Amino acid sequence: MKSTFPLFPDSASSLSSHVDALYIIWALVSVFFTVLIAGLIVFFMARYRRSDPEQVGVEERAAVWLEILWSAVPLAVMLAMFAWGTRVFFQLYRPPADAVEYTAIGKQWMWKVQHPEGQSEINALHIPVGQSIKIKLASEDVIHSFYIPAFRIKQDAVPGRYTSLWFKATKPGVYHLFCAEYCGTEHSRMIGSVYVMEPRDYQSWMAGGTGKSMVASGADLFTSLACVTCHRSSPGVTQRGPNLEGVYNSQVKLADGRTVTADDNYIREAILNPFAKVVAGYDPVMPTFQGQVTEEQLTQLIAYVRSLGPTGGAPAGGTGGTPAAGTAPSTAANTPQTPGPAAPQK
Ligand code: CUA
């Protein structure tokens, strides 16, 4: 529940207690050393104060063992805290394989959220409790920051590329959603609510919505934007663009000899700026779609390309890349489709 005492937010995700433990222990260690050092300074000031104006101090050297001790102990403490912090950091930023991907797009001044099944909402996020959820972030204008204090997660949404975060909510309730990056006059109003629901309630909430899944919308776009005319293999026809089946998260060889991973950011760039990284074996003939597709449509197209991923044949642009083993088996990935007329799902 939204706390009425906002000094310390609710703890409602699988990792929030880990973050809190790190934070509290760090605070206690800092307080301990601050008090120790400040206390010793005050104590020595009193104990060794000059008793008459003529007194001159005697030169003293600390024992070697003491020097080593007060260097080694803080070093060990710092390294231990560093290792612990790193561990928590990686837990926070590496989504588990079963995470379901949602999309949140920041825009002056709102958060637009899209569910994999197609529902979209503004300044609200409905999620089931106990499910790992990855949020893919994009921005339509300036840098925003997606922040859910109760889950102890925050990540910038940066224009021009995708970032992501993940969490697993552990307690049903309503929690704050903030933008945590100053993004213009109404930054402070770029807020919303996260509704963590029991799976059954979530299902009935979902049933109330309409709309196509991300993959189906992407498949529609793939046809309506005429991507399908070049990115489909038809026997006997010179193919102008790579077949996209099996491409997602594979290694793609480029015309200039480099090899890149065909991840979300690569596919996004390939749509908006096709000449940047041309696939080996193809001419740079693809028109740019900059200005013709919105951020939402981009994420739908990428969801569609991903749906072609592991189910497809040989990777295009062919270096024999392996279709991603670790891609999230989200609902989006469970609907194999071949390029062509879209098969609306809902
Ligand atoms: Cu968006 Cu502050």
Side-chain angles (χ1 to χ4, degrees), residues 144 179 181 183 187 190:
H144 303 275
C179 174
E181 181 74 44
C183 56
H187 155 73
M190 191 168 163

Side-chain angles (χ1 to χ4, degrees), residues 107-111 142-145 179-184 186-188 190:
K107 178 187 173 184
Q108 285 170 325
W109 287 276
M110 64 175 83
W111 290 109
V142 299
I143 299 177
H144 303 275
S145 188
C179 174
E181 181 74 44
Y182 180 66
C183 56
E186 292 186 39
H187 155 73
S188 63
M190 191 168 163

Side-chain angles (χ1 to χ4, degrees), residues 42-60:
V42 172
F43 171 72
F44 289 153
M45 276 164 60
R47 175 79 177 71
Y48 299 107
R49 71 186 184 279
R50 188 154 70 171
S51 47
D52 76 89
E54 303 301 312
Q55 192 178 20
V56 176
V58 187
E59 191 183 335
E60 291 216 49

Side-chain angles (χ1 to χ4, degrees), residues 86-151:
T86 307
R87 207 180 111 93
V88 173
F89 179 86
F90 280 121
Q91 286 172 334
L92 280 175
Y93 284 93
R94 281 188 183 154
D98 66 344
V100 175
E101 188 176 292
Y102 290 50
T103 307
I105 297 170
K107 178 187 173 184
Q108 285 170 325
W109 287 276
M110 64 175 83
W111 290 109
K112 294 192 289 187
V113 176
Q114 229 180 143
H115 293 240
E117 295 85 354
Q119 270 81 353
S120 59
E121 39 188 339
I122 287 181
N123 289 341
L125 171 61
H126 289 75
I127 49 161
V129 70
Q131 166 72 58
S132 295
I133 287 172
K134 178 183 172 187
I135 308 256
K136 184 160 90 177
L137 294 165
S139 167
E140 282 188 13
D141 35 47
V142 299
I143 299 177
H144 303 275
S145 188
F146 191 90
Y147 180 33
I148 305 175
F151 298 167

Side-chain angles (χ1 to χ4, degrees), residues 154-277:
K154 177 155 76 83
Q155 173 66 54
D156 282 4
V158 183
R161 67 185 166 98
Y162 294 119
T163 53
S164 68
L165 54 80
W166 82 277
F167 55 80
K168 179 155 86 181
T170 51
K171 264 192 340 201
V174 184
Y175 305 100
H176 288 293
L177 166 64
F178 291 121
C179 174
E181 181 74 44
Y182 180 66
C183 56
T185 35
E186 292 186 39
H187 155 73
S188 63
R189 294 176 62 189
M190 191 168 163
I191 54 178
S193 297
V194 179
Y195 301 87
V196 178
M197 312 168 91
E198 295 291 353
R200 175 185 298 207
D201 297 339
Y202 181 71
Q203 285 309 325
S204 52
W205 180 83
M206 291 293 290
T210 52
K212 287 178 189 167
S213 72
M214 296 271 289
V215 175
S217 301
D220 282 356
L221 286 166
F222 200 76
T223 305
S224 64
L225 294 168
C227 315
V228 68
T229 55
C230 295
H231 291 286
R232 177 170 57 182
S233 49
S234 4
V237 179
T238 315
Q239 212 181 320
R240 281 181 290 176
N243 185 352
L244 299 181
E245 289 183 12
V247 164
Y248 187 81
N249 252 359
S250 69
Q251 297 295 309
V252 173
K253 191 155 192 179
L254 302 183
D256 61 11
R258 283 180 297 165
T259 300
V260 295
T261 304
D263 57 10
D264 289 12
N265 278 311
Y266 171 75
I267 297 168
R268 177 199 159 86
E269 185 185 39
I271 296 169
L272 298 178
N273 186 10
F275 292 176
K277 294 184 181 116

